Amino acid sequence: MQSMMQSMMQSMMRPTITSCLILFVAFSGGCRKKAEPDAYGNVEATEVVVGAESSGKIETFRPHDGARLSAGEIVGTIDTTSLGLQQQEVTAGSAASADRLGEVASQIDALQVQHTIARRAFERTRRLYRQHAATAQQLDQTERDYRVLGEQIEGARFQQQAIQKEIDAAQSRVAQVNERISRGAIRNPIDGTVLATYVEPGEVTQTGQPLYRIADLRNVEVRAYVTETQLAAVHIGQQAQVTVDTGANNRTVVNGTVEWISSDAEFTPTPIQTREERASLVYAVKIRVSNPNGILKLGMPADVDFPGQIASP
């Protein structure tokens, strides 16, 4: 009777033990450590700091944080009143020189007519002198008149050249002033999103002073780091997968392309890894990623995988 009871107890326990083993195996598999990414990095973008190209008071200024701007768009103006006055002054001087040039040209025309008459008179007197029909004094006088008019023409032409140089210099100054006036228009250099502004309308700015910072966030870069053993398997144009956190327990994967690999080793940057891993030499890699929906934010940490290419470090 006792043996029968023990057999029954063992039979009842077998399913329970089997179930526990199954649960243990399942639990162990679920708790198994997830595979590490091939590399770690952060999201970056090519940023452009737009500076003032002219000095003066900022009259209008449209950029603000988060604003989308187009390349070539005029987004503000700097007062150029003083430059406009310079332009008027130089233009007036150039016009006056042009009037003088016209007067000298008319003078040269008149002198040339007189010079032609004087030449004929000199030639006629010289023939008469040879025929003893004119005196030496008359010959000297006509020759002197002829030569003086020629010298006057040469002097007028020299004056004409000098005035022309004045006009050319004035026109060059007008072009320079116009170019400086055009710099009063603040022109946005690239399509992008304004990251920060440094001035407000009404402020006085100096040439070269930063006005705002902009970057094209539709196409960003992930700067990641690979070890020396991984480096041989990474190449320009290679496809990569970038994974980022996009909310509570949400992970988003986007595709990218390796566009740059550093040729110099460096110590792993502080924000990327633990203190021990930061002591390792690594190589920087840039992965170009399309970001039309703005999922990737600047500075966002990212995991990088090179599917089927290299093993995790």
Side-chain angles (χ1 to χ4, degrees):
M1 183 67 178
Q2 186 176 359
S3 298
M4 186 180 297
M5 290 295 292
Q6 289 178 352
S7 298
M8 292 176 62
M9 291 291 293
Q10 289 176 358
S11 299
M12 293 174 63
M13 291 176 62
R14 284 195 191 98
T16 304
I17 294 173
T18 302
S19 300
C20 290
L21 288 173
I22 293 172
L23 289 173
F24 176 76
V25 170
F27 180 78
S28 298
C31 296
R32 191 171 298 158
K33 186 178 180 181
K34 185 181 178 180
E36 292 293 327
D38 294 328
Y40 299 90
N42 293 94
V43 178
E44 298 179 347
T46 301
E47 301 179 5
V48 176
V49 176
V50 181
E53 296 186 9
S54 178
S55 299
K57 182 179 179 181
I58 299 176
E59 294 181 325
T60 61
F61 189 72
R62 294 197 297 106
H64 58 85
D65 293 1
R68 284 277 306 149
L69 302 178
S70 301
E73 180 181 0
I74 295 178
V75 296
T77 55
I78 298 174
D79 181 32
T80 56
T81 301
S82 61
L83 292 174
L85 295 176
Q86 290 182 31
Q87 180 195 50
Q88 293 176 8
E89 180 180 355
V90 176
T91 301
S94 177
S97 296
D99 291 340
R100 288 171 51 210
L101 185 64
E103 293 174 359
V104 172
S106 298
Q107 182 183 358
I108 290 175
D109 291 340
L111 288 172
Q112 285 178 332
V113 172
Q114 297 176 31
H115 187 252
T116 300
I117 295 172
R119 178 176 57 81
R120 292 173 181 172
F122 170 60
E123 291 175 349
R124 183 173 60 251
T125 303
R126 185 167 53 184
R127 287 195 303 269
L128 292 173
Y129 176 76
R130 290 173 181 170
Q131 298 171 1
H132 304 289
T135 65
Q137 184 179 4
Q138 289 175 324
L139 179 62
D140 292 342
Q141 182 63 45
T142 55
E143 182 179 7
R144 183 165 50 251
D145 292 344
Y146 172 63
R147 295 187 182 281
V148 167
L149 286 169
E151 292 172 355
Q152 289 177 348
I153 290 173
E154 290 299 320
R157 285 175 175 168
F158 180 81
Q159 184 180 9
Q160 186 181 43
Q161 293 174 357
I163 295 174
Q164 185 61 56
K165 289 181 179 179
E166 291 179 3
I167 293 175
D168 293 342
Q171 290 176 344
S172 177
R173 288 197 297 273
V174 169
Q176 291 175 358
V177 173
N178 287 339
E179 195 269 339
R180 292 175 61 189
I181 290 175
S182 69
R183 292 182 182 181
I186 303 171
R187 196 176 298 275
N188 183 58
I190 63 170
D191 291 336
T193 302
V194 176
L195 304 179
T197 58
Y198 308 117
V199 296
E200 294 291 339
E203 293 184 17
V204 176
T205 185
Q206 301 296 325
T207 302
Q209 179 178 336
L211 302 177
Y212 64 97
R213 181 161 48 92
I214 188 171
D216 184 3
L217 301 183
R218 294 172 303 177
N219 294 284
V220 297
E221 298 169 345
V222 174
R223 178 187 286 266
Y225 297 86
V226 297
T227 63
E228 186 174 4
T229 56
Q230 295 173 306
L231 184 63
V234 180
H235 55 84
I236 303 296
Q238 179 177 345
Q239 297 299 302
Q241 290 182 343
V242 175
T243 305
V244 295
D245 292 324
T246 54
N249 299 322
N250 289 327
R251 302 276 285 170
T252 299
V253 179
V254 292
N255 295 320
T257 304
V258 176
E259 68 170 8
W260 175 81
I261 301 173
S262 174
S263 58
D264 298 320
E266 59 183 288
F267 288 107
T268 310
T270 300
I272 300 300
Q273 286 286 10
T274 65
R275 180 176 301 177
E276 292 75 13
E277 290 169 320
R278 287 200 300 268
S280 301
L281 287 175
V282 292
Y283 293 84
V285 177
K286 284 186 180 180
I287 298 98
R288 188 76 168 175
V289 181
S290 179
N291 187 37
N293 298 323
I295 296 175
L296 303 180
K297 310 297 183 183
L298 295 184
M300 177 181 285
D303 298 343
V304 178
D305 289 293
F306 302 94
Q309 296 294 324
I310 63 177
S312 300

